[in-house]
Structures are given as structure tokens and as C-alpha cells.
Amino acid sequence: MKNKNNYDYLLADLTKLNGVGKKTMEILKKKKVNNIFDLLWRLPKSYTDRTLVSKICDLQIGVIQTIRIVPLKYQFPRVRNLPNRVNCIDETGKIDCIFFNSHEGYVRKILPLNEEVTISGKIGNYKGRYQITNPTYISQDSSLIENIDNKYSLTEGITEKTYNKIINQILKNLPILPEWHDKDILKIFNNESWNESIIKLHDPKNIENYKSDFYKRLAYDEILASFLVNSEIRKKIKKIKKISKNFSEKAHKNIVNKLNFTLTNDQKISLGDINKDLNSKSKMFRLLQGDVGSGKTIVALISSLNVINSGFQVALMAPTEILARQHYTLAKKLFPKDIKIELLSSKSENSEKKRIIKNLENNEIQMVFGTHAIFQKKIIFANLGYIIIDEQHKFGVRQRKLLSDKGGDNCDVLLMSATPIPRTLTMSVYGDMDVSIIKEKPSNRKEVKTYSKLESKIDDVINFVKKEIKEGNQIFWVCPLIEESKKLDHQSSVTKYKFLNEIFPNKVALLHGKIANEEKEEILNKFLNKKYSILVSTTIIEVGIDFPNANVIIIENANKFGLSQLHQLRGRVGRGTKQASCILMFKSNLSVNAKKRINILKNSNDGFEISEEDMKLRGFGDLLGFKQSGIKNFRLADPIQNEDLFLMAEKQIKKIELENTDIKKYKALLKLYDQADIINDMV
Ligand code: ADP
Ligand code: MG
């Protein structure tokens, strides 16, 4: 295939490659390699030097070596299962080639007697004789043997040889793409072109050459592509014109006066951002990001009231019913009585559901709370003006875009998330939205005290729990997360429940994934009403519920969780005025790195700081905690190592937005690197 200035080749199916059939394609598909482009990012880990080196007398046993030999004699045993053998020589010694599961004819063909042949493989020794078993390469033309074979982390079912053949074929056929970067940017990377960079990336001499220009260029491509897509979505949403919401200062004051606290500065600023957007003529698409317990709900409710007062309906969606109910109850308490709000619950009677649905359509309900059920097709809003989504940090760019389309042009959108992310990642994760951040915690909050304990010291923990219960406090007991098996997960929580129930009869409740939703809600409600002192659970309690009376959380097998996740769990306590504690339990002594991570948690109660520090401790490409939170996984770019590139891309995006650059010149970049379907309608 000749080089083309076009990227179609890269986006082609793997079967376009010589030597790749359906079977290989299926194997690679399972590894998320869907096209030729995807294969480019599976980098060689090490390489085998097959440069012709040895004479037989110099061979080293156990090492892969390449030699030129002359076959002298075949030994084809008549006994099944015995290998075929060929005695070979060079001027310095003897070696045997051994073939298992091979046909005579094949052996005769590849190793014709008395003709010089180059072979390559691992040198073995059998009864004092050198031998090579099933040589990797055999060829009469030594130039046909790749001098240097890259080693990729192989997928079962594909041999190293096949894999190298595939990659070399791709590298030979790489299209020369038109340069998408400006000259000044390219200069920073020493003018490395995309094409050259890819070739260098697979050059064994460059393994782990993260600091080189070609590597940085490729990382930058990736970052910019991700930022660009987000920026385009954002621009597109901003262009949507809507009827602006108008609202009264008085209603706002009324609700604020009902609170038994004053809003923090950050809450006020965020509310200001939101109100300004609601008030404007373009559609709002905003993220309210704030650490656990920073008080996002109240900001959402106050802004909702403004929307309602200007004649629109509001829908608030929460990930669980109990959370939806909690928001609903708070609104009921704070909103003026004449405002009609409803909770659409799966538990409600059918007639009740029907009434709510009908009244939403008749514009007789002003605000509805619920889970994703409130966005079913059969629910039609008369005049929806505001969608609030709570705790949906796992929503990706696509889902958010769908959501923003759903409400219609007049509908503003607010997402709330308690997952703080490191600064370098903000643009790639939330670049499609405007962002308000609540950093400050309410001033009455006490820091949660964090301890670590070995599991063998459980008696100390039990004594501590006894003391807390005596004082009327409540405890969350989070059981080890066993990712491999839901069944084990369940068992461990049941065992713990039984254990604790012996010590604290009738005071312990159990919650795990197998309990039906309705029962779950009931248990949580009973716990909320202090019917139980201890709630044993898997991580279900992670999401947003406010339990002001719970002030101890015990997390077993804490090393199974990412720091951000531990911080989220810890945030379930310490919402009241009492001193709260978090006890992290471990099976065995911690490694140095694990200790460092736990110290970060002990020393900080600030989610943003924790996520930054956590990221710094993780190795290259090891961003497990972030993957879990739905954050895009980069192929090469690393948010710590390449911080400068992230900042550079951020600057470039601002420039592109400001100068209104036509992004057509980035077409190939976007098509190749990113959500091509999202940008289909853009470039
Ligand atoms: P999150 O941001 O995690 O969703 P919530 O909105 O659930 O936090 O608020 C946590 C608790 O803090 C609630 O009980 C809420 O009433 C309270 N709260 C919110 N804002 C303030 C404030 N400014 N001062 C004191 N308490 C507040
Ligand atoms: Mg919340």
C-alpha cells in the first residue's frame, strides 16, 4: 500500500492487514484494539537482538541467538511423539534443530541438506549437544530475518513473530498526515512530525524514552484532541439561545433566612455563577464541584426556587431514591408552601405515579425529585427549565451531551459532583462545561480524625465503638470490597454482621448488594431514625446521603480503595457538630507507598488536595482511582509527568476559542484520537 495523505488506513479494520484473519482480530478486539490506530499504542516492552552474532563454538545456552548453519542429516523417528531432528554444523561445531509436531516434508523444505541457512532461536543443550527447538526464524536469505524483534506484552493466541509482522507492516504503510499543529507549537517538539514520531515510538532503542520530543509530541496530540472535543461541545451549547429566567431578590432572601446557618463564601459565589447563567440568554451547562459535605444541595435548591419563580419547572435527579427523598424533604421544609413539589418514587402507588405524571404535563407541579426514572419517555414536562443531576461523576462527556439535548433549548443544566480531580485533568474531564467550585467547608465542621489499625487489633476498635454507642453516636462499618466476586463481597458483610450482632445485639443493621432496593431504603431510613447504632455495609453508603448523627466510620481492608474513594467514604461522617472519626483497617503491615498514601488522608480533609497528592504518588499511567471515577484514560499522556503539556494545551484551546480558529485543520487529529462520532457533526 502506498502512502496516502489520509487517515482512513489507520481507522480500518484489522483484517485489512496481511496476516490478520478473523481469529487474530477477535483476540485483539477483546483487548479493545478495534482498528489499526489502536494497535499503534501498544508499545514494545523490550526487544530481542537477532543480529547475526555467533559461531556454534561461541553459543550461549539459554540465550536467543542467530547463526548460519548447514544441515547435514535428517533423523525422522518412526515413533509417534518423538520430535524430528536435523543435525547441522558450521565450521566450528555441531547443533541440532528439533521440531515437535512437524511433518517430514516441511522440515525437508525449510532445511535442505548441504545448503547454508540462517536460524534464530533459544539455544538449548541436550546430553552435551547444542540444540534449538522449533527455531523462531529459519531462512536461506538472512536479510529476511528481522535484526531486532520487539517484544510486546503479548495477547494469548498471537505469537511474537506474528505480532511483529503486523506492527512492521503498519509502520511501513503509515500515512503521512498533514501537520495540524502551528509552527510555533511544533518547534517546541523539535519539529517531529506525527508520522516520524510513531515510527520512533516503536523503535526498540526508544523504549521508555518518555522525555524525548517525539514522545511529548504524541502525548500533546492526545491531550489537545481531548480538550478540543470538549471545547467544541461547550461552544456549541453556548450558542443555544433560551428564554432567560428572571427572579426576585425577595424570594431568595426568604429561603436564606430559613436556614439555621449562613452560606459560606464559596456557596455564595457558586450561587452567583448559577444565577447569572440562569438569567442570561444562553443555555447553562455547569458543573458544581464541591467536596463531600461542602453544601451543594442548598445551592441547588435556592437556584431552583429562582427558576420556579420565573415560571419554569425543575427536575432534580439523584442516583438513589433515598437521596432523592432527602433532597425532597429538605425542599419541603425550605420552599414556600404554595410551591408544589413531588417525589416520584418507585414505591409510590400506581395511581399516585399517574397523578404526578399527569400534573407534570399540566404544569401543576413545579419541581420533581427522583432517580433516573424522572427522565422516562412517558414523562412529559409542560415547561421544564432546569435539570439538576446530583452525584453523577460517572457521567461521561457523551451522557452529559445527551442530557443537555434532552431538556430542550430552554432548559438549563447543573451537574453536581463530589469527586475532586487534579487540576491537570479538569479540562479533559469537564472541559465541555463551565465549572463552579466550592472549596470551603461550612465553618462549624470539625475535621474527621483518621486512624489506621491492623485487623488483629480489632478488640481496640470494638472498645472504641462501645464507647461511642454509649454516647448515642452511630457507626458505619464498611466491609472489605472484594472486587473479584460479588458473592464473596456479600459473604464478608454477612460474617461481619453476625460477629458484631453477637457483641451488640439488636443494634446492628446489614446492607449489601443483594438486598432489594426497597428493603435497602427501609434499612437506611431506620438507621437515619437511630433505630440501629451500627450499619454494616459494602460501599453502598458512598453516595451523597446525609446522616448527621453518624460520626464514626470503620473501613476494612482499606488498601483496596483508592484515596479519593476513602475520602468520599470518610465524608459520610462528621456532618454534625460532634467530633468524628474514621478508622482504616488493614490486614497486614503497610508498604512504604501505602503508608505515604494513608498519611495523605490523615493529614488532609481537603478532597482536591488529596487527589493531587494521590496522583503524584501513583506511577506512570497508574491512575486507577481516576479510571474508576469515569475519567478518560490517556494512551501516552500522563497528568503528572506531562503537566506542562496539559497547561500548554489549555492555553492553546483558549487561543483557538478566542481567535475563533476553524478547527478543520485538526480534523485528522480529532477523527483519529477521539470520540469521532461526537465530532462528526462539527468538522
Ligand atoms: P454535599 O455538598 O456533600 O452534597 P450537603 O449539601 O449534603 O453536602 O450538605 C451537607 C450538610 O451541610 C447538610 O446537613 C447541610 O444542611 C449542611 N450545610 C450546608 N451548607 C452549610 C453551611 N453554610 N453551614 C453549615 N452547614 C451547612
Ligand atoms: Mg450531595
Side-chain angles (χ1 to χ4, degrees):
M1 198 181 294
K2 281 272 155 292
N3 282 330
K4 300 158 289 151
N5 288 353
N6 135 11
Y7 49 78
D8 288 344
Y9 173 73
L10 294 168
L11 292 178
D13 208 286
L14 295 177
T15 47
K16 280 265 148 59
L17 297 166
N18 294 332
V20 177
K22 270 239 156 68
K23 197 176 132 230
T24 311
M25 185 180 81
E26 290 304 323
I27 293 172
L28 286 169
K29 266 215 167 124
K30 279 204 193 105
K31 298 275 164 187
K32 297 211 167 86
V33 177
N34 290 314
N35 54 27
I36 296 179
F37 184 76
D38 289 341
L39 266 182
L40 295 178
W41 310 103
R42 295 167 57 102
L43 305 185
K45 299 275 180 259
S46 61
Y47 62 89
T48 311
D49 191 342
R50 294 195 189 274
T51 324
L52 197 56
V53 276
S54 279
K55 291 291 171 201
I56 291 178
C57 68
D58 296 327
L59 286 177
Q60 283 171 277
I61 291 165
V63 178
I64 292 173
Q65 288 182 308
T66 305
I67 44 175
R68 283 183 77 72
I69 44 125
V70 179
L72 275 190
K73 188 179 162 209
Y74 301 124
Q75 293 180 18
F76 298 129
R78 296 294 155 223
V79 184
R80 267 192 4 154
N81 294 337
L82 279 185
N84 290 327
R85 181 180 292 265
V86 185
N87 307 130
C88 310
I89 52 157
D90 73 359
E91 64 276 19
T92 71
K94 294 180 190 170
I95 188 164
D96 284 355
C97 291
I98 315 288
F99 297 89
F100 284 93
N101 304 320
S102 59
H103 294 292
E104 257 185 60
Y106 168 76
V107 176
R108 283 181 198 279
K109 195 172 145 215
I110 54 166
L111 289 177
L113 296 181
N114 305 316
E115 285 179 41
E116 206 175 37
V117 168
T118 304
I119 62 171
S120 183
K122 202 184 213 166
I123 309 298
N125 183 304
Y126 183 72
K127 292 189 177 162
R129 279 175 85 97
Y130 287 121
Q131 66 177 36
I132 292 189
T133 307
N134 294 340
T136 320
Y137 288 99
I138 301 177
S139 175
Q140 284 181 280
D141 177 359
S142 67
S143 70
L144 288 183
I145 294 180
E146 293 291 339
N147 278 347
I148 288 178
D149 248 6
N150 278 349
K151 275 210 165 104
Y152 294 85
S153 21
L154 280 180
T155 310
E156 218 185 293
I158 302 177
T159 63
E160 196 177 314
K161 199 168 144 189
T162 311
Y163 199 81
N164 272 293
K165 247 184 168 165
I166 297 174
I167 290 290
N168 289 332
Q169 184 186 158
I170 298 174
L171 294 181
K172 253 180 225 151
N173 289 321
L174 273 190
I176 299 173
L177 302 175
E179 182 55 61
W180 45 71
H181 291 305
D182 295 339
K183 282 208 172 74
D184 54 330
I185 298 274
L186 203 58
K187 222 173 168 179
I188 297 172
F189 305 115
N190 205 12
N191 296 316
E192 294 277 11
S193 71
W194 183 84
N195 181 291
E196 278 301 313
S197 300
I198 292 286
I199 288 168
K200 287 185 181 169
L201 189 66
H202 286 267
D203 185 335
K205 288 194 293 296
N206 286 325
I207 287 173
E208 295 194 353
N209 203 350
Y210 305 132
K211 295 225 153 67
S212 55
D213 292 317
F214 78 85
Y215 197 96
K216 284 192 180 164
R217 187 232 142 96
L218 292 172
Y220 183 73
D221 281 340
E222 185 179 22
I223 300 166
L224 191 74
S226 148
F227 286 15
L228 259 178
V229 170
N230 286 343
S231 152
E232 281 305 299
I233 295 176
R234 192 162 144 259
K235 265 197 270 181
K236 216 176 168 190
I237 291 172
K238 288 217 154 193
K239 276 195 197 130
I240 299 174
K241 290 288 165 235
K242 68 151 201 257
I243 304 172
S244 60
K245 278 111 192 165
N246 300 302
F247 29 80
S248 75
E249 201 49 31
K250 207 173 133 224
H252 175 96
K253 281 214 173 101
N254 271 342
I255 185 168
V256 172
N257 285 339
K258 277 196 193 167
L259 301 173
N260 53 5
F261 50 76
T262 49
L263 294 177
T264 63
N265 255 336
D266 281 353
Q267 281 174 315
K268 283 184 198 157
I269 292 169
S270 303
L271 197 55
D273 293 343
I274 295 167
N275 283 344
K276 200 166 149 236
D277 284 358
L278 293 171
N279 204 221
S280 83
K281 286 200 163 54
S282 17
K283 183 172 171 126
M284 170 167 86
F285 196 47
R286 184 172 283 279
L287 173 79
L288 179 59
Q289 206 186 7
D291 209 348
V292 267
S294 60
K296 296 181 290 291
T297 319
I298 192 69
V299 172
L301 290 183
I302 296 175
S303 59
S304 299
L305 194 61
N306 289 335
V307 173
I308 292 167
N309 283 334
S310 46
F312 287 92
Q313 291 171 304
V314 181
L316 190 153
M317 178 178 121
T320 58
E321 264 195 39
I322 185 149
L323 192 55
R325 182 180 299 275
Q326 204 159 49
H327 293 342
Y328 165 77
T329 312
L330 184 62
K332 205 89 200 140
K333 217 163 75 187
L334 295 176
F335 283 6
K337 292 285 162 287
D338 57 326
I339 291 179
K340 288 216 186 66
I341 65 174
E342 294 283 358
L343 175 74
L344 193 65
S345 159
S346 59
K347 266 187 287 182
S348 327
E349 304 261 320
N350 263 342
S351 58
E352 168 84 350
K353 280 186 207 157
K354 276 196 182 133
R355 180 186 62 81
I356 295 177
I357 292 173
K358 196 173 122 233
N359 286 342
L360 279 170
E361 197 169 350
N362 292 340
N363 209 4
E364 277 170 36
I365 293 174
Q366 273 114 38
M367 182 161 181
V368 66
F369 297 78
T371 60
H372 58 277
I374 58 175
F375 290 121
Q376 295 165 70
K377 273 214 183 92
K378 64 176 177 196
I379 299 184
I380 297 159
F381 291 87
N383 194 17
L384 185 63
Y386 192 17
I387 296 177
I388 301 166
I389 314 280
D390 192 17
E391 297 291 354
Q392 279 304 357
H393 48 272
K394 287 193 173 118
F395 266 25
V397 178
R398 281 158 213 266
Q399 280 160 303
R400 293 201 294 259
K401 187 166 177 289
L402 279 178
L403 192 74
S404 116
D405 294 344
K406 193 160 197 156
D409 288 358
N410 278 327
C411 188
D412 291 299
V413 179
L414 181 73
L415 264 85
M416 301 199 283
S417 162
T419 312
I421 53 164
R423 161 97 176 78
T424 41
L425 289 176
T426 312
M427 278 284 272
S428 51
V429 182
Y430 295 121
D432 57 330
M433 314 186 76
D434 292 312
V435 183
S436 296
I437 300 179
I438 306 182
K439 281 215 158 152
E440 195 183 355
K441 293 254 171 85
S443 57
N444 58 1
R445 280 295 136 75
K446 283 205 180 101
E447 302 246 304
V448 180
K449 284 206 173 126
T450 304
Y451 309 92
S452 50
K453 272 264 170 211
L454 276 177
E455 240 168 53
S456 52
K457 296 275 172 62
I458 190 156
D459 289 348
D460 295 356
V461 178
I462 295 290
N463 285 335
F464 179 77
V465 168
K466 278 185 184 156
K467 201 183 89 228
E468 290 289 327
I469 292 182
K470 224 178 225 162
E471 287 171 24
N473 298 330
Q474 286 177 292
I475 290 107
F476 289 119
W477 196 297
V478 182
C479 280
L481 181 79
I482 303 164
E483 280 165 6
E484 305 84 55
S485 154
K486 282 221 162 85
K487 202 168 153 207
L488 290 179
D489 222 13
H490 161 83
Q491 274 168 3
S492 79
S493 58
V494 173
T495 312
K496 190 55 64 176
Y497 167 77
K498 284 185 182 153
F499 170 78
L500 289 169
N501 207 36
E502 296 260 305
I503 308 172
F504 307 99
N506 301 321
K507 287 203 168 103
V508 192
L510 171 66
L511 208 63
H512 57 67
K514 282 200 175 167
I515 293 177
N517 272 344
E518 283 182 23
E519 203 181 329
K520 227 179 257 174
E521 302 250 330
E522 203 180 306
I523 294 169
L524 284 172
N525 270 326
K526 278 191 180 160
F527 187 67
L528 207 55
N529 296 327
K530 304 189 199 173
K531 297 249 162 55
Y532 300 112
S533 300
I534 303 176
L535 182 68
V536 177
S537 84
T538 44
T539 50
I540 307 165
I541 49 159
E542 201 188 334
V543 179
I545 309 162
D546 199 25
F547 293 94
N549 195 53
N551 71 333
V552 178
I553 185 162
I554 293 155
I555 305 171
E556 285 194 53
N557 224 353
N559 47 320
K560 286 259 178 173
F561 299 95
L563 278 198
S564 294
Q565 219 181 352
L566 287 175
H567 176 66
Q568 290 273 320
L569 283 168
R570 179 172 67 174
R572 296 294 116 227
V573 299
R575 295 181 164 223
T577 43
K578 287 181 196 163
Q579 177 60 54
S581 331
C582 167
I583 303 174
L584 306 170
M585 297 192 62
F586 298 92
K587 272 202 184 331
S588 55
N589 284 325
L590 293 172
S591 69
V592 177
N593 207 34
K595 257 187 201 144
K596 275 191 198 156
R597 297 179 62 222
I598 296 308
N599 274 334
I600 297 174
L601 264 190
K602 285 185 180 170
N603 295 333
S604 174
N605 264 282
D606 175 341
F608 287 93
E609 196 181 310
I610 290 169
S611 75
E612 294 273 348
E613 293 295 319
D614 191 19
M615 189 166 78
K616 280 180 200 158
L617 272 186
R618 289 167 192 271
F620 195 88
D622 168 29
L623 290 168
L624 186 74
F626 299 112
K627 272 183 208 156
Q628 284 171 351
S629 59
I631 291 176
K632 184 182 149 52
N633 196 9
F634 286 98
R635 295 172 173 110
L636 298 186
D638 180 284
I640 292 292
Q641 309 289 330
N642 304 124
E643 190 182 1
D644 52 334
L645 301 179
F646 279 83
L647 297 178
M648 204 172 124
E650 197 176 326
K651 235 165 110 188
Q652 184 67 10
I653 293 291
K654 285 199 180 122
K655 191 170 163 239
I656 291 170
E657 285 181 2
L658 200 73
E659 295 173 358
N660 220 350
T661 312
D662 186 352
I663 66 157
K664 274 215 173 63
K665 69 173 186 160
Y666 295 109
K667 185 169 175 176
L669 174 76
L670 293 174
K671 286 274 183 196
L672 288 173
Y673 278 82
D674 239 290
Q675 308 100 334
D677 52 328
I678 282 193
I679 50 124
N680 267 341
D681 47 340
M682 295 178 195
V683 288

